[in-house]
């Protein structure tokens, strides 16, 4: 049984058919990435899994339990946690307060303190900025904070939406190293990313989305060697 299974999901925005039968699987401990051009349905897939944009048809299973119709706030308590596109941190709150907001559904104070220590171990720059307002952080630091806030919810599966967007190349590499390190600590990750090359380099499995459908699905290393993928998504001629 997979940790997360998405079966034949159809999602609409009004009359717009955004997802047209998406099916994916994420095994415990994996990094699985969704790649594709803008408008392919990558972010919509994450939002549908989280219950933000409910599926019209299909089924979503978490550890075999059907969460398709579960409200978004209850999906969070089950351990499906998203770090959204655009970071969406609380600009007027400190780094520490942002992290505490990630644990707002929890009341296990000792465990919350331990998890904050874990976040600071994985993301030491946040500890250096602990009393700084979120809005005064650099773009890279804000992305680290968004990931750290998501980790404070103690995810069973962490959904990352475009974590490298808008960052300089050196920061992109740092963010991907952080993602890989978090996964090595046992956190399962579903990653949406425009930087297909770096996403496939750290992932176990990959899905190529196009116009709301899965066009290719394979081991990440095989997708890296796929001529069509290399031409369309890796910038090779």
């Amino acid at each position: 049984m997979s940790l997360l299974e998405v079966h034949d999901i159809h999602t609409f925005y009004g009359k717009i058919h955004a997802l047209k039968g998406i099916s994916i699987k994420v095994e415990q401990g994996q990094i699985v990435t969704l790649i594709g051009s803008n408008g392919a349905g990558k972010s919509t897939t994450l939002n549908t899994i989280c219950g933000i944009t409910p599926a019209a048809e299909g089924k979503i299973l978490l550890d075999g339990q059907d969460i398709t119709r579960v409200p978004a706030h209850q999906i969070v308590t089950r351990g499906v946690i998203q770090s959204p596109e655009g970071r969406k941190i609380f600009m007027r709150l400190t780094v520490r307060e942002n992290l505490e907001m990630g644990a707002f559904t929890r009341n296990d104070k000792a465990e919350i303190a331990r998890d904050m220590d874990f976040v600071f171990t994985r993301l030491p720059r946040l500890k250096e900025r602990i009393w700084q307002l979120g809005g005064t952080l650099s773009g890279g630091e804000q992305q680290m904070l968004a990931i750290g806030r998501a980790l404070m919810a103690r995810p069973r599966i962490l959904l990352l939406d475009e974590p490298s967007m808008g960052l300089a190349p050196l920061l992109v590499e740092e963010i991907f190293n952080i993602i890989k390190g978090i996964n090595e600590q046992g956190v399962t990750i579903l990653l949406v990313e425009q930087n297909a090359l770096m996403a496939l380099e750290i992932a176990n499995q990959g899905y190529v989305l196009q116009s709301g459908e899965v066009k290719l699905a394979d081991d990440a290393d095989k997708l890296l060697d796929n001529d069509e993928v290399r031409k369309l998504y890796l910038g090779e001629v």
Side-chain angles (χ1 to χ4, degrees):
M1 181 189 303
S2 302
L3 175 60
L4 178 71
E5 299 180 38
V6 176
H7 295 289
D8 196 27
I9 285 295
H10 293 257
T11 300
F12 291 80
Y13 293 113
K15 294 182 179 180
I16 299 173
H17 198 174
L19 300 183
K20 306 168 186 175
I22 294 287
S23 295
I24 65 173
K25 289 185 179 181
V26 182
E27 305 295 339
Q28 180 72 45
Q30 284 189 327
I31 298 177
V32 174
T33 187
L34 309 181
I35 64 173
S37 58
N38 288 334
K42 305 184 301 296
S43 294
T44 302
T45 300
L46 297 193
N47 288 338
T48 299
I49 292 168
C50 292
I52 297 169
T53 309
E57 300 175 30
K59 186 175 290 186
I60 302 168
L61 303 177
L62 181 68
D63 252 350
Q65 299 296 311
D66 191 346
I67 62 169
T68 315
R69 307 291 171 224
V70 174
H73 69 280
Q74 292 182 17
I75 290 177
V76 169
T77 65
R78 297 189 186 199
V80 180
I81 310 299
Q82 183 172 184
S83 177
E85 180 181 352
R87 300 149 198 166
K88 294 183 174 63
I89 64 167
F90 298 99
M91 297 292 187
R92 297 184 180 181
L93 299 184
T94 66
V95 166
R96 183 181 185 88
E97 289 167 336
N98 268 275
L99 295 175
E100 289 171 343
M101 288 299 292
F104 80 98
T105 62
R106 302 171 55 187
N107 54 20
D108 49 336
K109 292 185 178 180
E111 291 298 314
I112 289 172
R114 274 193 282 270
D115 286 345
M116 191 168 291
D117 287 339
F118 170 75
V119 169
F120 287 147
T121 299
R122 298 306 320 175
L123 303 164
R125 203 173 308 176
L126 295 183
K127 189 170 185 179
E128 297 171 6
R129 307 284 194 270
I130 187 169
W131 301 117
Q132 195 167 325
L133 296 181
T136 66
L137 300 177
S138 69
E141 290 165 347
Q142 288 186 11
Q143 185 60 66
M144 293 174 197
L145 181 55
I147 294 172
R149 181 182 60 189
L151 290 173
M152 288 299 297
R154 190 169 281 185
R156 297 178 65 195
I157 179 167
L158 176 60
L159 279 54
L160 296 176
D161 196 352
E162 302 286 6
S164 76
M165 181 179 286
L167 300 182
L170 283 177
L171 286 175
V172 170
E173 186 172 351
E174 184 174 359
I175 290 296
F176 273 91
N177 285 334
I178 288 167
I179 294 169
K180 189 174 180 180
I182 290 168
N183 176 251
E184 289 170 351
Q185 293 294 316
V187 179
T188 304
I189 295 173
L190 178 57
L191 170 66
V192 161
E193 179 54 54
Q194 284 282 3
N195 192 326
L197 176 61
M198 295 197 72
L200 290 170
E201 284 180 341
I202 68 168
N204 304 102
Q205 299 285 326
Y207 292 83
V208 179
L209 271 58
Q210 182 178 323
S211 301
E213 300 178 273
V214 175
K215 290 300 182 183
L216 288 170
D218 210 332
D219 294 342
D221 56 353
K222 292 180 180 177
L223 289 176
L224 277 171
D225 289 334
N226 182 289
D227 289 340
E228 183 179 2
V229 171
R230 298 187 75 86
K231 180 179 178 181
L232 293 177
Y233 304 106
L234 305 183
E236 295 189 3
V237 179

